Amino acid sequence: MIKEAASGAAAAVLAVLVWQGVNVAPLVVFGGLLLLLYHFAGLKGAGKKFAVVEPGKSTGLVDFTRIGGQQTAKKELLEALDFIRHPEQVAKLGIRPLKGILLVGPPGTGKTLLAKAAAKYTESVFLAASGSEFIEMYAGVGAQRVRQLFEKAKSLALKEKKKSAIIFIDEIEILGGKRGSHSSHLEYDQTLNQLLVEMDGMSLDDRVRTLLIGATNRADMLDGALVRPGRFDRIVQVDLPDLEARLEILKLHTENKPLDPEVDLEKLARDTFGFSGAHLESLANEAAILAMRENAETISMRFFNEAVDKVIMGERLDRRPDREELWRVAVHEMGHAIVSEELNPGSVSVITTTSRGKALGYMRQSPQKDSYLYTREHLEIQIAVSLGGAVAEELVLGDRSTGAANDFKKAVEDAKRIIAGGMSPLGVVLLEDLPRSLLHRVVRKLISIQEERVSELINNRLALLKELADILVTQEKISGEFLRRRLCEGFREAV
Ligand code: ATP
């Protein structure tokens, strides 16, 4: 609006000058130069607006109860927020007010949600920005934006008659990376210096208490000055949710959805090891979309299972291999599944020949429990499962294909984890200290032992593998339960 009025006024002035016979060419050139400078020197960006969410009016602020799991993070955060809620008590005890809290964790685990809940809990104004918004090619612009952000928080709080403001900076490692580590380091350093200056000045204004919440998944990249006491005083870990937290998050995100009575959220929570809160939200949403596509009244387990596959592997593709290739894919996936089920009963969730992302088919395992430590036996089983596909292709079709390249990569990674964990014949060693040829030999040995084990295992189940691969070609999907039943029957027939 202002822009339009200004350009209208400028045009009118020029018209009057031309009418009076004044030579306006130098003025036009000068104006053009100013515009160019405004555009390229980042001045335009310096006036950029930050996302502001104010409690009460806000659409975005959430309650701590709307965040599933993250008990430790919530507890630490709540403790820290009492500094804002009870300033008199803090002052009475002579406690230095807290200036910053750093939330560290993988993407989608609820760091932004926690910051928003903090603003709601403390009835503060909330301003959010991302580290990348502060980085410009031109020195000084980022620093100016940092200044503006803090000024804006203060003025907004005063305007709203609030006593506190929470500033949230996501991806803070972009703005607060170690000094001197960037190629255009002058701009980066100035921006970070300004942030440090603002943090140091935070306690000086007692009309508005400001708290900075930073979020990152690369705390190791942050400059030492930023994480020293007195700046980011608290570092709170925000991890991927465990089984119980996944169930809680699933409940939260399905609360407003019509679920079929047979939907088993506990099973879904078990099947989604490694999912973040954002993945789980997307899972609930995708299941609802699938139900809508089929005009279903309620969301059944079938839609949830399909949504799990979609979240892990991507959208189902129309690409359909020809019959011969499809048979190979089915044999390959059944190879993985039979090895997984034989060595770790109950581990297979589903086997399919649906193309998703780069995969022509896949076998999904469902871990019986969340594991954070792996034994040598577990890793050996994982290597065997990875090799199952290629070995099955070789035994049934006489040769292997490029489809196993990713499996081999994973097998090698697992073999290296055995070595790095001091569980190989080399004993306790540092992976990076090993000569490449020795590392290669030990990896090969670990893998070839499993290759022999898998060959024997699949050879014993060859007829059943072919029969199940046949079913997979026609049905596109086989459940873990069906596979287990057939393996049991096959075993009884053999006895
Ligand atoms: P990033 O690091 O990528 O910015 P983040 O950790 O800030 O991610 P959020 O933006 O807070 O993640 O979460 C994204 C979405 O995922 C939320 O809007 C919410 O729907 C869902 N979500 C994430 N964690 C949780 C949780 N613990 N409880 C409920 N929902 C969650």
Side-chain angles (χ1 to χ4, degrees):
M1 185 71 184
I2 294 171
K3 263 191 216 165
E4 279 88 18
S7 43
V13 170
L14 281 180
V16 171
L17 291 176
V18 170
W19 185 60
Q20 291 193 341
V22 177
N23 179 9
V24 293
L27 266 179
V28 172
V29 172
F30 183 66
L33 279 174
L34 267 183
L35 268 178
L36 276 178
L37 201 69
Y38 172 75
H39 189 80
F40 288 109
L43 292 174
K44 195 173 144 213
K48 207 168 180 163
K49 293 214 167 55
F50 298 101
V52 181
V53 183
E54 295 147 41
K57 297 178 200 166
S58 71
T59 47
L61 289 190
V62 293
D63 220 79
F64 275 113
T65 53
R66 305 298 306 160
I67 306 176
Q70 303 300 358
Q71 299 310 337
T72 320
K74 278 190 220 167
K75 188 172 149 280
E76 289 230 22
L77 200 56
L78 281 170
E79 244 175 59
L81 294 175
D82 280 337
F83 281 80
I84 294 190
R85 301 235 312 175
H86 311 293
E88 305 78 25
Q89 221 172 324
V90 171
K92 219 192 290 171
L93 291 170
I95 299 172
R96 171 174 53 76
L98 209 68
K99 291 179 182 170
I101 299 174
L102 186 65
L103 305 177
V104 183
T109 42
K111 298 184 289 298
T112 312
L113 280 186
L114 284 165
K116 285 182 176 173
K120 186 156 190 201
Y121 178 71
T122 52
E123 293 181 14
S124 307
V125 290
F126 181 76
L127 276 93
S130 166
S132 53
E133 287 174 43
F134 297 90
I135 299 308
E136 277 291 331
M137 274 166 68
Y138 300 94
V141 177
Q144 189 184 339
R145 278 189 206 154
V146 171
R147 225 171 11 248
Q148 278 173 351
L149 177 63
F150 280 78
E151 274 164 15
K152 171 104 194 175
K154 206 178 292 175
S155 64
L156 203 70
L158 289 173
K159 193 170 134 214
E160 297 288 320
K161 300 201 169 40
K162 302 269 182 234
K163 294 215 164 57
S164 51
I166 288 189
I167 298 177
F168 175 66
I169 305 183
D170 203 1
E171 297 181 316
I172 199 163
E173 74 282 358
I174 301 181
L175 142 78
K178 291 192 173 86
R179 274 172 286 193
S181 60
H182 296 283
S183 48
S184 69
H185 59 86
L186 182 63
E187 161 61 357
Y188 280 87
D189 293 357
Q190 278 191 8
T191 310
L192 172 57
N193 284 339
Q194 188 60 41
L195 182 65
L196 299 177
V197 168
E198 294 295 340
M199 288 186 87
D200 289 344
M202 263 157 69
S203 53
L204 300 179
D205 189 335
D206 45 9
R207 291 172 304 163
V208 180
R209 290 180 299 279
T210 312
L211 180 74
L212 176 63
I213 300 185
T216 180
N217 50 8
R218 293 298 312 271
D220 57 309
M221 281 172 69
L222 291 177
D223 193 275
L226 203 55
V227 283
R228 78 147 168 77
R231 303 253 169 76
F232 277 115
D233 284 287
R234 294 266 168 125
I235 300 186
V236 177
Q237 199 63 38
V238 188
D239 281 324
L240 286 174
D242 60 10
L243 181 64
E244 210 176 301
R246 289 199 298 278
L247 181 59
E248 240 178 81
I249 298 174
L250 280 170
K251 281 184 184 159
L252 281 172
H253 287 291
T254 50
E255 232 174 47
N256 61 347
K257 297 180 172 64
L259 299 190
D260 195 283
E262 51 111 13
V263 167
D264 184 351
L265 291 182
E266 279 176 30
K267 180 177 183 306
L268 277 175
R270 273 197 307 278
D271 275 0
T272 47
F273 175 72
F275 274 41
S276 67
H279 282 127
L280 295 167
E281 187 273 336
S282 164
L283 163 68
N285 202 43
E286 290 298 340
I289 292 173
L290 291 169
M292 191 177 70
R293 272 191 209 158
E294 291 195 17
N295 284 326
E297 297 272 311
T298 55
I299 310 170
S300 66
M301 201 62 184
R302 179 167 64 89
F303 297 123
F304 277 105
N305 284 330
E306 174 92 15
V308 172
D309 290 340
K310 186 171 171 188
V311 173
I312 298 178
M313 308 290 297
E315 181 65 276
R316 172 193 274 269
L317 302 177
D318 289 336
R319 183 181 65 199
R320 197 87 184 123
D322 65 20
R323 177 100 198 154
E324 199 181 315
E325 225 171 61
L326 199 60
W327 170 243
R328 184 179 282 277
V329 174
V331 166
H332 183 104
E333 299 309 329
M334 282 318 305
H336 286 310
I338 286 181
V339 176
S340 179
E341 204 50 48
E342 289 273 13
L343 298 180
N344 190 7
S347 58
V348 174
S349 181
V350 74
I351 311 126
T352 134
T353 52
T354 309
S355 296
R356 284 183 194 272
K358 286 191 182 140
L360 292 171
Y362 55 92
M363 182 275 298
R364 177 155 58 78
Q365 291 174 300
S366 79
Q368 284 101 331
K369 62 180 177 67
D370 288 6
S371 304
Y372 303 97
L373 293 171
Y374 300 114
T375 59
R376 174 174 173 151
E377 194 198 348
H378 172 89
L379 289 167
E380 282 175 345
I381 291 178
Q382 286 313 117
I383 296 175
V385 173
S386 298
L387 300 174
V391 173
E393 280 187 57
E394 192 170 291
L395 292 177
V396 176
L397 298 150
D399 59 1
R400 297 180 176 191
S401 69
T402 52
N406 273 336
D407 298 336
F408 293 156
K409 214 166 138 190
K410 178 156 185 312
V412 169
E413 275 163 16
D414 283 334
K416 284 187 180 165
R417 287 166 93 178
I418 293 180
I419 301 170
M423 297 178 281
S424 78
L426 293 174
V428 178
V429 284
L430 276 179
L431 217 53
E432 52 274 28
D433 286 352
L434 290 180
R436 281 177 72 89
S437 55
L438 178 61
L439 179 64
H440 177 72
R441 259 202 319 278
V442 182
V443 167
R444 267 300 322 138
K445 182 76 191 159
L446 287 167
I447 289 183
S448 63
I449 291 173
Q450 295 311 313
E451 223 168 346
E452 271 173 41
R453 182 188 191 188
V454 171
S455 287
E456 197 185 321
L457 215 148
I458 292 186
N459 246 328
N460 290 338
R461 295 292 202 168
L462 211 52
L464 185 64
L465 186 146
K466 287 186 201 165
E467 181 199 317
L468 288 169
D470 231 356
I471 300 176
L472 189 55
V473 166
T474 42
Q475 293 189 358
E476 213 182 312
K477 197 172 205 169
I478 289 183
S479 70
E481 288 79 35
F482 182 79
L483 168 68
R484 280 185 279 282
R485 247 194 339 267
R486 286 299 297 122
L487 277 170
C488 258
E489 285 163 10
F491 181 71
R492 267 191 243 120
E493 280 159 21
V495 176

